[in-house]
Amino acid sequence: MTFKEKQQRMGEQRGVLNEITVYVLACLVFSNMCWYLGYSNPNADSAAIFIIAASYLPMFLALVVTQITKEGWNNLGVAFHIKESWEIYVLSVLATLVIMYSAYPFMPFIFGKKVSVIFSLKTAGEICLMTVLGILCLIECLGEELGWIGYLFPKLEKIAGTVVACIVLGIVRGIYHIGILIFMEYPVQGFIEITVSNICLSFLMIYMFKKSKSIFPCSIHHGIANLLPVFLKYDNSWYYTSVLPMVVCIIPAALFGGYGFWQMKRQKMICNVR
């Protein structure tokens, strides 16, 4: 690579970094303001408006920015590609169910005798129904995934490589939830757990995104993960007050994150920046 080509590449990377910085700061600042206004608002209707705004802000800003920069929406992964990638859709459902329900045997190792879990979904029919509802929740989670994975991740990967981009993405997701976490009794611990879980699961979600070329498997994963914990009952309020119910257990998240990393490495999907 010639000196001129190196200079040109560095200029392009600086431009991408500036875009990332503006986008991330805008998302995190305004989203957390909306989360705070939503969760602190005594009026249910007003609270819902702020919460919806926070959920869809990453998508909204991504759509606006890509129009301003003339990038368009074609590269955001908004096509389903079900026929070509049906196995990834199956993975997004089954992996999420395993992650959420495998949290139970790991609880004693993490929390000791402080908490035990009772599943309020006792029959296969109930579990299947909640899974279907979780899949339908992809519309709700699309607001995050289009922004974080469809728009932000490819830009992070371009300047930092796949592994670093996955880690940064997980950290951004953790910061994105601060406006919720501050209402928990132990916000610092909650922040650490949700950030670590998201870093681990970024590798699984990015594998699904790269393999399917679609953000919808990631949205399905997110939708099921958000819904199923509502039906888990804990016999000790300590868990509820220290960890968001939607946060998956770190151990199964790490295992599936490792699976996603292994698949990307095996299929030569890991990109390194030189």
Side-chain angles (χ1 to χ4, degrees):
M1 184 181 294
T2 65
F3 177 76
K4 185 176 181 180
E5 288 173 334
K6 288 182 179 179
Q7 290 291 99
Q8 183 178 359
R9 181 165 182 170
M10 289 177 62
E12 291 174 354
Q13 289 183 330
R14 281 195 296 269
V16 173
L17 181 59
N18 289 337
E19 289 180 27
I20 290 172
T21 302
V22 172
Y23 174 78
V24 170
L25 286 177
C27 279
L28 296 182
V29 170
F30 291 111
S31 291
N32 277 299
M33 288 173 61
C34 289
W35 286 132
Y36 179 82
L37 293 171
Y39 279 85
S40 63
N41 199 313
N43 184 287
D45 293 334
S46 299
I49 292 173
F50 285 117
I51 291 171
I52 291 172
S55 299
Y56 283 93
L57 191 60
M59 178 182 74
F60 174 75
L61 289 179
L63 295 177
V64 171
V65 170
T66 50
Q67 289 302 298
I68 293 174
T69 59
K70 308 299 182 183
E71 294 176 58
W73 301 344
N74 293 333
N75 296 324
L76 296 177
V78 291
F80 282 95
H81 296 150
I82 296 176
K83 184 177 180 180
E84 305 90 338
S85 308
W86 63 268
E87 71 278 8
I88 298 300
Y89 282 87
V90 173
L91 173 66
S92 70
V93 174
L94 295 182
T96 312
L97 290 174
V98 172
I99 290 170
M100 302 309 295
Y101 284 101
S102 65
Y104 176 72
F106 287 117
M107 285 293 178
F109 295 100
I110 298 175
F111 300 107
K113 297 182 179 179
K114 289 183 178 180
V115 64
S116 63
V117 185
I118 302 170
F119 296 127
S120 58
L121 296 179
K122 294 182 172 62
T123 68
E126 289 176 313
I127 293 174
C128 288
L129 175 60
M130 291 307 106
T131 302
V132 171
L133 292 176
I135 293 173
L136 295 177
C137 281
L138 71 88
I139 301 300
E140 173 199 353
C141 300
L142 187 63
E144 287 188 49
E145 302 314 331
L146 190 147
W148 299 141
I149 292 182
Y151 174 78
L152 179 60
F153 174 78
K155 293 186 179 298
L156 286 171
E157 186 180 46
K158 187 174 182 179
I159 66 171
T162 305
V163 173
V164 174
C166 286
I167 294 171
V168 172
L169 188 64
I171 295 171
V172 168
R173 285 182 181 272
I175 298 173
Y176 170 75
H177 289 93
I178 287 178
I180 302 173
L181 290 167
I182 58 176
F183 292 95
M184 309 301 288
E185 188 174 344
Y186 302 98
V188 175
Q189 181 172 346
F191 173 75
I192 293 172
E193 289 171 338
I194 196 171
T195 301
V196 172
S197 295
N198 274 290
I199 289 173
C200 293
L201 289 176
S202 287
F203 288 93
L204 174 64
M205 297 176 79
I206 294 306
Y207 165 65
M208 294 192 295
F209 173 63
K210 282 175 170 279
K211 186 70 175 178
S212 66
K213 297 180 175 61
S214 172
I215 59 172
F216 289 103
C218 300
S219 297
I220 289 173
H221 160 78
H222 195 161
I224 296 174
N226 275 10
L227 183 65
L228 282 181
V230 174
F231 301 94
L232 302 181
K233 294 181 179 178
Y234 301 90
D235 65 358
N236 189 306
S237 62
W238 181 86
Y239 185 78
Y240 275 123
T241 57
S242 63
V243 188
L244 283 176
M246 71 179 65
V247 178
V248 299
C249 182
I250 291 175
I251 294 177
L255 292 175
F256 275 89
Y259 170 78
F261 173 78
W262 174 70
Q263 285 289 1
M264 285 194 288
K265 192 173 182 63
R266 187 176 70 86
Q267 299 179 41
K268 298 181 180 179
M269 296 178 179
I270 301 290
C271 299
N272 298 310
V273 176
R274 296 180 182 178

